[in-house]
Amino acid sequence: MSTPVKTIGVLTGGGDCPGLNAAIRAVVKAGIGIYGFEIFGIETGFEGLIKKYARPLNLEEVRGIVNKGGTILGATRRHDPFHYQERAGEEIKTMDRSGDILQHASELGLDALVVLGGDGTLRIAERLSQMGLPLVAIPKTIDNDLSGTDVAIGFNTAVITAMEALDKLHSTAESHHRVMVVEVMGNKAGWIGLESGIAGGADVILIPEIPFSIEKACEKITGRTKLGRPFSIVVVSEGAKALGREETYIDPKRYRLGGIGQQIAAEIEKCAGLETRVLVLGHLQRGGSPTSFDRVLASRFAIHALRLIAQGNFGKMVALRNAEVQAIPIETAIASLKTVDPNDDLASTAEALGISLGR
Ligand code: F6P
């Protein structure tokens, strides 16, 4: 029989996204109101447990944050305790600080931890869970590439942000007889590109899962010109690549994708004979107020995570499957990335609508 939980911590790991604050708020409101937990907010992901950056969270701290983007706990991508980098004089040393995480969690009196994260954070969480840290995870990623859940916090808001951009670009593309190329996020998975492109009436959508032929994309654009529509909207995921080519990086050393929009714009201008402009949506997709869907999802996930904690059911990730919130092992969620199946319903829906996927 495990000891009853009295004190819990909550942290947000990796990149931020809309909906994190709604989840933190729900953890605090129900954690205090229903379970009588004492709650600590751990700052900047697992780094907060390495450095003991933690503060008590009460109802006052989470008042009025359901509609706020970002995370009140701060976020960093440099929080992996197994490869933690610290400056020692001129040198940067990489150390394993996982032992400190367990020790500091115990010093803070944490009986359990709620971890909000994407693939990278959940890989860390799984290792710490194996080492004996009692935790429950909540999936968040605008890329929506975590397995085991139909959707993660942040995805819906990001798709709507991209869709609204496409809606606005239509009129200017039409007025100027231009091709507008919109580069969206999604380094390995094309969910944002495909969903926003279908919803926003794109003519061409290029995603990482389908290496594209620029000639095929151009056929669609020139076909439209012949029909008296000499303008087009092209959506391209940052991780998309042409057949036989690699991904495009703006900073290869740090694996920062970017530049595919610019690259294909030059090629489209040549083959389609239309002036072409590029818009990189970038971190705009990670910002802003969460949609009602993300607020409700974040709240449902948080409440279910608390239930699991109260039952002592650790090492799980809450997930949405067929409209139901469930718990799955974290290792299932990180076993493989959830990518678009090129032969599945979403891709074929796009093509049935006359959208070219560059194949
Ligand atoms: O993981 C989500 C994501 O939005 C990716 O699509 C993108 O490549 C990455 O974050 C960029 O994040 P950052 O600038 O925080 O490293």
Side-chain angles (χ1 to χ4, degrees):
M1 187 73 178
S2 54
T3 46
V5 173
K6 291 201 182 99
T7 307
I8 66 169
V10 54
L11 65 82
T12 52
D16 70 345
C17 72
L20 291 174
N21 284 329
I24 297 167
R25 167 182 177 266
V27 166
V28 173
K29 286 190 87 155
I32 294 173
I34 297 178
Y35 298 99
F37 292 156
E38 186 181 352
I39 303 176
F40 281 93
I42 314 294
E43 288 164 25
T44 56
F46 284 111
E47 184 174 58
L49 278 180
I50 295 172
K51 304 221 157 161
K52 276 181 115 177
Y53 296 153
R55 64 177 197 267
L57 286 182
N58 53 38
L59 296 176
E60 195 49 41
E61 293 250 2
V62 297
R63 216 155 53 82
I65 64 167
V66 70
N67 58 342
K68 295 217 160 67
T71 160
I72 60 164
L73 296 175
T76 177
R77 291 209 184 267
R78 292 181 299 276
H79 70 140
D80 179 354
F82 298 97
H83 305 92
Y84 191 68
Q85 296 197 322
E86 251 173 333
R87 186 172 284 280
E90 289 298 286
E91 256 184 287
I92 299 210
K93 283 197 171 160
T94 303
M95 283 172 283
D96 182 350
R97 302 283 305 268
S98 54
D100 292 337
I101 297 257
L102 269 78
Q103 193 188 327
H104 294 162
S106 144
E107 283 169 17
L108 285 165
L110 303 184
D111 301 311
L113 192 63
V114 178
V115 175
L116 284 121
D119 183 61
T121 300
L122 295 201
R123 279 176 197 284
I124 299 168
E126 171 61 9
R127 287 182 73 180
L128 291 169
S129 165
Q130 297 287 346
M131 288 168 68
L133 190 68
L135 57 87
V136 169
I138 297 179
K140 69 88 220 172
T141 156
I142 67 159
D143 288 357
N144 204 28
D145 55 5
L146 264 173
S147 285
T149 184
D150 296 342
V151 67
I153 297 173
F155 173 63
N156 182 260
T157 307
V159 168
I160 289 179
T161 298
M163 178 197 74
E164 285 174 354
L166 300 181
D167 285 350
K168 288 182 180 163
L169 289 169
H170 270 281
S171 55
T172 175
E174 185 166 7
S175 308
H176 283 268
H177 294 176
R178 282 176 176 158
V179 177
M180 302 298 304
V181 174
V182 185
E183 186 178 306
V184 298
M185 279 188 169
N187 49 48
K188 294 272 184 295
W191 300 109
I192 297 178
L194 202 46
E195 290 216 0
S196 68
I198 292 173
D203 305 294
V204 176
I205 305 173
L206 307 173
I207 59 173
E209 295 86 342
I210 305 178
F212 63 85
S213 139
I214 198 72
E215 290 77 23
K216 291 276 179 202
C218 275
E219 267 172 33
K220 172 70 193 176
I221 298 167
T222 49
R224 283 174 51 79
T225 303
K226 284 185 196 137
L227 291 172
R229 288 190 282 282
F231 63 94
S232 285
I233 303 286
V234 176
V235 175
V236 59
S237 309
E238 60 185 351
K241 49 185 184 291
L243 280 164
R245 285 196 207 149
E246 293 305 317
E247 289 97 344
T248 315
Y249 289 92
I250 34 167
D251 188 348
K253 275 200 197 127
R254 289 195 274 179
Y255 300 104
R256 276 202 198 139
L257 288 165
I260 185 69
Q262 206 64 49
Q263 188 187 97
I264 62 167
E267 292 169 340
I268 290 172
E269 200 159 82
K270 258 197 221 147
C271 66
L274 289 173
E275 203 181 341
T276 303
R277 292 283 201 273
V278 185
L279 176 70
V280 179
L281 283 186
H283 293 81
L284 199 71
Q285 297 156 98
R286 292 239 301 262
S289 185
T291 58
S292 61
F293 181 89
D294 272 330
R295 296 180 202 189
V296 174
L297 183 71
S299 305
R300 290 178 75 190
F301 277 170
I303 302 306
H304 201 68
L306 290 172
R307 261 183 223 127
L308 296 177
I309 286 177
Q311 293 161 2
N313 191 357
F314 300 119
K316 299 289 179 350
M317 180 186 88
V318 296
L320 190 76
R321 294 175 140 189
N322 304 320
E324 229 184 70
V325 180
Q326 303 178 358
I328 62 166
I330 295 176
E331 55 184 1
T332 308
I334 56 174
S336 60
L337 271 193
K338 186 183 71 185
T339 53
V340 174
D341 178 344
N343 302 313
D344 214 350
D345 156 71
L346 201 60
S348 63
T349 297
E351 289 178 317
L353 291 168
I355 300 169
S356 167
L357 300 182
R359 62 177 169 179

